[in-house]
Amino acid sequence: MVYPFSSPNGYEERLNQQFSGYINYSLQISPELLNSLHEDLDMSFSEEATVVAHQNSPLPRYTESGPDREIDWVIADRDKLVGYESKYGDSLSSSQLQDELEKLELNAEGRDFVLITVTPHTTPPRIIGRFENDPVHWISWFSISRRLHQIKEAEIQSEQRPILRMLQDLFEAEDMHPFTGFDHHDKLQYRYFIRDLRQELVQTELENPGKVNTSSTKDPEPSSWKRLVPKRLDVPFVRESREDTWKRSRSYLTATVDTETHGVHAGIVFNLREIKSHRNYVANSLEDLIEYAADRDLQLWASMNSLNQWKVGVPRTDDPAEMRSWLEDGNKNAVRVNGTNFKKAIFVNECSASKPSAIVQKAKKELLRQYEDFLVSDELYPWSTLEEHE
């Protein structure tokens, strides 16, 4: 149903009040719902957990030298005091986080104290890195929304179910939908897929440096820059510790979405034309690569500058003999298919599934598998990165 209350409509204070209010009533039943939202933080509350402070009734003690920060809401049990600093439009500041940490410590009375920042980012804001040695954690509003939609009502107490539905409706009213499956009529689902996949990889070495074009037009034959989504999305993932600025001309790990068939694949892109060491690697490791692909039921794709080749399409094969022919006929610097040279060799695994959450998990699993096989282990690939070797 339509959210029955006045939605926050982008206002931070309204979102904080409504979210913490629902959590407050949920805790009067049990910490079950709240604990499910903190699974990724490796944190759980006991039965004594309760909301002990919020903006209209802040913690009493504060440092004499610093400002009296009003932490958005605070939850305590017998062992810990946890403050939540929420941002919906404004940015986090290091001075504010430091002041709030000090205030929590003053009010902890010997308990452990933790500050959790909640923002609408899909990956942790850079400022969080400054507090890596402090009890400061980050969580995204989007991941909270996704987790709320993953909870099955049959698995929680009946008294918690109305509160769960109200929280779900709150985030739907704020247009913070989780990925619920591809839909030709709802193009934003492509963005939700990328956002959820990025968040699943937050705790790894992989990050997505790109953006998704969301321009739109009513023109039935739009020019390329006006297309809401291209024929096929290429979602690159690179290592956070790469030594230089990422460029699409490099080789990289990728997740792809066919916006017509909604097929999802994930794998590794070797740019044979641009990266000399990579074309030498593919040529010299041909049999190992083909064996790897055959053992894991991978496909070999051939691509030009992008995966959006409207006339030629993307040649693909899962036949080892055909893979060998394509790679051998290209004379090291290209993949040659039916007389046409393509500059990228892409080994991918299909990640389609019936459940939206399973699609995200399959893509994550494949990216991490190839990250391990090619960039952590040296059995297949001799370097630790795809980016630094020309």
Side-chain angles (χ1 to χ4, degrees), residues 34-262:
L34 180 62
N35 285 339
S36 70
L37 300 180
H38 287 69
E39 286 183 350
D40 293 340
L41 297 179
D42 192 26
M43 176 186 298
S44 63
F45 292 89
S46 66
E47 294 292 332
E48 296 83 9
T50 184
V51 175
V52 296
H54 48 74
Q55 287 182 316
N56 296 325
S57 180
L59 293 171
R61 301 187 184 90
Y62 59 93
T63 58
E64 295 181 1
S65 59
D68 183 14
R69 299 285 190 181
E70 295 179 353
I71 302 173
D72 291 321
W73 68 92
V74 182
I75 298 175
D77 62 15
R78 67 175 67 173
D79 299 318
K80 56 188 168 296
L81 186 71
V82 182
Y84 296 79
E85 177 53 41
S86 159
K87 294 298 181 184
Y88 204 20
D90 295 334
S91 300
L92 294 167
S93 74
S94 57
S95 59
Q96 180 182 14
L97 298 184
Q98 188 60 51
D99 291 339
E100 291 179 348
L101 270 177
E102 293 176 3
K103 184 169 185 176
L104 286 170
E105 185 176 16
L106 279 174
N107 288 272
E109 298 179 334
R111 293 171 292 183
D112 293 334
F113 60 94
V114 177
L115 179 62
I116 296 177
T117 61
V118 192
T119 74
H121 298 86
T122 54
T123 54
R126 290 186 178 181
I127 195 172
I128 300 301
R130 302 180 190 177
F131 293 87
E132 60 181 355
N133 297 320
D134 297 297
V136 176
H137 301 287
W138 168 83
I139 191 171
S140 170
W141 281 119
F142 291 113
S143 62
I144 290 175
S145 173
R146 186 171 74 252
R147 179 61 189 137
L148 285 168
H149 280 78
Q150 291 172 345
I151 297 173
K152 297 179 180 179
E153 289 192 4
E155 297 177 353
I156 62 174
Q157 296 168 277
S158 58
E159 296 88 348
Q160 295 278 16
R161 293 169 192 171
I163 300 175
L164 171 64
R165 293 170 198 159
M166 288 190 288
L167 283 166
Q168 291 171 338
D169 289 345
L170 167 63
F171 284 96
E172 183 172 351
E174 285 302 283
D175 195 27
M176 283 194 277
H177 304 266
F179 171 61
T180 57
F182 297 112
D183 185 339
H184 288 296
H185 301 289
D186 183 6
K187 305 300 185 184
L188 289 175
Q189 287 295 334
Y190 303 116
R191 295 186 65 195
Y192 301 154
F193 167 75
I194 295 171
R195 181 196 64 208
D196 288 0
L197 181 56
R198 290 178 67 184
Q199 288 185 299
E200 285 294 327
L201 293 165
V202 160
Q203 302 300 325
T204 75
E205 259 278 280
L206 296 178
E207 67 174 0
N208 166 236
K211 295 181 180 180
V212 181
N213 176 25
T214 57
S215 300
S216 62
T217 177
K218 294 181 179 179
D219 185 347
E221 295 294 335
S223 57
S224 60
W225 69 273
K226 288 183 178 180
R227 300 190 69 87
L228 182 61
V229 288
K231 183 182 188 310
R232 187 174 286 104
L233 291 175
D234 174 25
V235 189
F237 283 89
V238 298
R239 297 172 74 245
E240 290 178 344
S241 58
R242 62 190 181 280
E243 296 184 359
D244 57 3
T245 302
W246 177 80
K247 298 178 182 178
R248 197 174 287 272
S249 62
R250 302 282 190 177
S251 301
Y252 53 93
L253 297 170
T254 185
T256 72
V257 182
D258 188 313
T259 60
E260 293 183 352
T261 67
H262 292 154

